[in-house]
Amino acid sequence: MRHALVFGGSGQIGVPLLDRLHDAGWRVTAVSRTPHHDQPGLHWLQGDLDHVDGLPRAVDAIFSCGPLDHFARWYAASKVDAVRVLAFGSTSIEVKRGSADPEEREVAQRLRTGERGVFETAAARGANATLLRPTLVYGAGRDRTLTRIATLAREWGRFVLPRNAHGLRQPVHVDDLAAAAFAACDVVATHGQAYALPGGETLPYRDMVARVLAVLEPPPQLIEVPSPLFTAALLGARALGRIGGFGDAAVARMRSDLVFDMEPARRDFGYAPRQFRPTAAMFGS
Ligand SMILES: NC(=O)c1ccc[n+]([C@@H]2O[C@H](COP(=O)([O-])OP(=O)(O)OC[C@H]3O[C@@H](n4cnc5c(N)ncnc54)[C@H](OP(=O)(O)O)[C@@H]3O)[C@@H](O)[C@H]2O)c1
């Protein structure tokens, strides 16, 4: 029976990954900062990437579905022996590199440092690492973009976008990401590689939001306003403390295409993500 060590197993990608490992007969040791009940084949350790007791001495694979920079530091210092390491990063490594927002540039820098760290540690130990970079994640009602939009739209009965929100997006379902990590684990061609993992459909930002609103009950109205009016409304909402997280750089990106090539992932491990067909249950209702 193969044994996996999983960080972030309680997260939106981690949960379906644990299911896949279980269904395939793996034994799993998972780490969480909060207590969880063990299940057949699944043992939880309570701790974090700075300190956790009881780690196995050796496993067949380590999966990281949590913060990459923390994981890279843990991996560099750890004594757990594993020939295979698969870690999630983000396409933000490219998207936010040239951002006007210093905090976003810092995110991209941390992702770069994390990826480099994982590859260097793996090389030093004779292990094989693969980095997986999702685009915009949805599906478990826990993401910070579409679920957040759905929550605000339910509250307000409407959602406002600037008329130029036509930048292309590729929302990717959490189950497809878990499937990717699981499939890549056994493929030699993925050793030492980083893969973009976009969703199976490319569509304009406003269409993506419209599809989310259309499945909510009752469906909130999508209101598109001229860009200066949107900016003024956003400033007002921020001043009233009614909205956070939609920074100027994120708003400016609504008109930019964020499109990634899934071909390397398809070629190497059969990556075949689903089309964007949301349901209300994917956004926490
Ligand atoms: N490009 C994108 O849009 C995008 C979107 C989402 C995710 N991602 C990437 O995909 C990966 C998984 O994301 P996710 O959305 O599934 O994450 P998530 O749902 O937020 O879960 C994060 C997991 O990491 C663990 N974690 C968080 N902080 C930790 C810490 N300081 N020490 C130890 N564990 C910690 C949490 O475990 P406990 O709370 O149980 O301790 C949790 O299970 C991340 O690397 C993320 O960067 C990229």
Side-chain angles (χ1 to χ4, degrees):
M1 184 184 275
R2 292 205 280 175
H3 187 185
L5 174 63
V6 179
F7 291 96
S10 66
Q12 52 179 343
I13 301 170
V15 168
L17 177 62
L18 294 188
D19 287 343
R20 275 180 192 271
L21 290 166
H22 176 265
D23 291 349
W26 285 63
R27 182 157 70 94
V28 175
T29 301
V31 178
S32 175
R33 293 165 296 174
T34 53
H36 294 266
H37 291 297
D38 285 357
Q39 288 158 34
L42 171 60
H43 176 53
W44 286 95
L45 297 174
Q46 192 176 347
D48 63 21
L49 287 156
D50 293 322
H51 182 80
V52 55
D53 290 324
L55 286 170
R57 196 182 51 75
V59 293
D60 297 286
I62 302 173
F63 293 88
S64 168
C65 311
L68 181 62
D69 50 344
H70 284 219
F71 174 71
R73 283 198 297 277
W74 172 85
Y75 183 41
S78 89
K79 304 215 165 10
V80 179
D81 199 18
V83 289
R84 198 71 181 96
V85 176
L86 297 103
F88 280 96
S90 172
T91 48
S92 295
I93 194 171
E94 292 176 27
V95 171
K96 295 185 176 164
R97 183 165 43 189
S99 170
D101 181 340
E103 278 183 32
E104 289 198 346
R105 289 200 301 276
E106 166 68 20
V107 168
Q109 178 58 42
R110 282 207 307 272
L111 287 165
R112 270 202 301 281
T113 306
E115 284 202 3
R116 198 181 317 122
V118 170
F119 280 132
E120 284 175 1
T121 304
R125 295 189 188 175
N128 299 303
T130 301
L131 264 296
L132 302 167
R133 300 172 177 168
T135 52
L136 191 158
V137 174
Y138 75 98
R142 296 168 62 178
D143 64 276
R144 285 172 219 97
T145 305
L146 296 182
T147 296
R148 188 168 153 62
I149 287 172
T151 304
L152 291 171
R154 278 194 193 103
E155 188 185 323
W156 297 338
R158 60 185 67 84
F159 197 79
V160 182
L161 280 178
R163 268 196 200 125
N164 57 8
H166 292 305
L168 296 175
R169 292 295 184 276
Q170 298 166 305
V172 60
H173 195 282
V174 290
D175 288 348
D176 293 331
L177 297 170
F182 183 76
C185 184
D186 283 336
V187 179
V188 173
T190 67
H191 294 178
Q193 302 295 323
Y195 294 90
L197 296 181
E201 186 173 354
T202 303
L203 72 173
Y205 193 102
R206 60 94 46 213
D207 292 4
M208 175 179 75
V209 172
R211 272 194 218 176
V212 172
L213 301 191
V215 298
L216 303 182
E217 198 50 59
Q221 192 186 358
L222 177 59
I223 301 172
E224 292 171 270
V225 299
S227 196
L229 193 57
F230 178 83
T231 305
L234 189 63
L235 285 174
R238 278 188 201 144
L240 292 171
R242 297 201 59 197
I243 193 168
F246 286 94
D248 293 339
V251 172
R253 265 200 303 277
M254 288 179 188
R255 39 177 203 269
S256 306
D257 295 345
L258 306 183
V259 176
F260 296 86
D261 183 11
M262 78 169 75
E263 178 52 24
R266 190 204 60 74
R267 178 198 64 217
D268 287 353
F269 53 94
Y271 182 59
R274 71 199 65 187
Q275 301 270 301
F276 184 55
R277 298 284 180 268
T279 64
M282 294 174 183
F283 308 107
S285 65

